[in-house]
Amino acid sequence: MSEECYRVQGFDPRDGLPRFEELFQRIHPDDQPKLKELIQRMVREKIEFETDYRLVHPDGAVADIHTTAHPVFSPTGDLIEFMGTVIDVTDRKRAEEELRQSEAYLAEAQKLSHTGSWAWSPDKDIRYWSEECYRVLGFDPRDGPPRQEELIQRIHPHDQPAFRKSAKRARHTKLDEEWDYRIVHPDGAVRDIHSIGHPVFSPTGDLIEFMGTVIDVTER
């Protein structure tokens, strides 16, 4: 065990190498059966593996661990040992969970307010739509973001010229822009939309994209 391996797994290098059973007992009880089965399969089939588990330190702190193992063979093909790595991914796991939670809150807020978010690039067309953006504008998220022209064709024919003119002005002036238009859903329902666009620039001042919101203001 490297010095960092001791630290990650909560052992003191001054005590020397722990026995495998000592290490295994540090694994969270809920994760032990899965890991035990994986280790038995690894030894039996002499295969590489990687997995995640929780480790309980002596002070009660729980760490998320990602481990990899690789079999080492003798010239005659006999299994000599496994060598590998353990990585403390606790901070990454927590950051991922916080991000998922934040995204869930945002999605719920957008759903409640009928507000979607989007990003459009002059070079790459529509780059991103939030889930609520698809719902507000009547597209299926399973199809991915539509092209801008597909969106324009969904806009009420009477509102398309003003939308095109406003979009062209935004690209030219590189300023914030607001649009009001009616969108015609595939089922024929007509919704009133208010959209806001904000330009995003590179450090050298070049326009990268517009990002903004679409709000279903039909009821209002």
Side-chain angles (χ1 to χ4, degrees), residues 27-209:
I27 294 170
H28 194 286
D30 292 345
D31 297 341
Q32 287 184 15
K34 176 195 73 173
L35 196 61
K36 184 176 182 179
E37 181 180 344
L38 183 58
I39 291 172
Q40 289 173 342
R41 178 169 171 258
M42 172 188 78
V43 174
R44 183 176 63 252
E45 300 179 13
K46 304 173 184 178
I47 56 173
E48 293 183 347
F49 85 98
E50 61 179 300
T51 191
D52 295 298
Y53 60 88
R54 290 164 295 173
L55 198 70
V56 183
H57 284 205
D59 62 1
V62 178
D64 290 286
I65 304 297
H66 179 75
T67 186
T68 64
H70 175 77
V72 178
F73 301 98
S74 70
T76 57
D78 296 319
L79 178 65
I80 301 173
E81 64 183 5
F82 281 87
M83 60 184 297
T85 60
V86 288
I87 309 171
D88 187 333
V89 295
T90 307
D91 290 341
R92 189 187 75 193
K93 289 271 190 180
R94 288 175 181 168
E96 289 173 350
E97 180 57 33
E98 288 175 359
L99 179 60
R100 280 193 295 270
Q101 190 176 59
S102 176
E103 289 175 340
Y105 286 146
L106 176 59
E108 186 63 19
Q110 289 196 352
K111 185 176 180 181
L112 291 171
S113 62
H114 303 296
T115 302
S117 51
W118 54 267
W120 175 86
S121 164
D123 298 325
K124 301 179 180 179
D125 209 326
I126 295 174
R127 294 185 56 251
Y128 166 79
W129 274 14
S130 70
E131 186 176 340
E132 188 63 16
C133 192
Y134 284 98
R135 188 161 31 242
V136 165
L137 297 174
F139 285 83
D140 191 333
R142 291 173 298 185
D143 297 332
R147 296 190 61 79
Q148 187 185 40
E149 189 57 35
E150 292 179 74
L151 169 61
I152 292 175
Q153 292 306 313
R154 286 279 181 90
I155 294 173
H156 192 286
H158 292 172
D159 298 340
Q160 288 182 22
F163 181 90
R164 290 184 186 276
K165 182 178 180 180
S166 183
K168 183 178 180 179
R169 181 173 61 246
R171 289 195 298 270
H172 177 70
T173 63
K174 303 177 183 178
L175 298 174
D176 288 10
E177 192 74 26
E178 296 191 33
W179 300 270
D180 287 294
Y181 56 87
R182 290 163 293 175
I183 196 90
V184 183
H185 284 205
D187 62 2
V190 178
R191 311 297 297 180
D192 290 285
I193 305 298
H194 180 71
S195 185
I196 302 171
H198 175 74
V200 179
F201 301 98
S202 71
T204 57
D206 296 318
L207 176 66
I208 300 174
E209 64 183 10

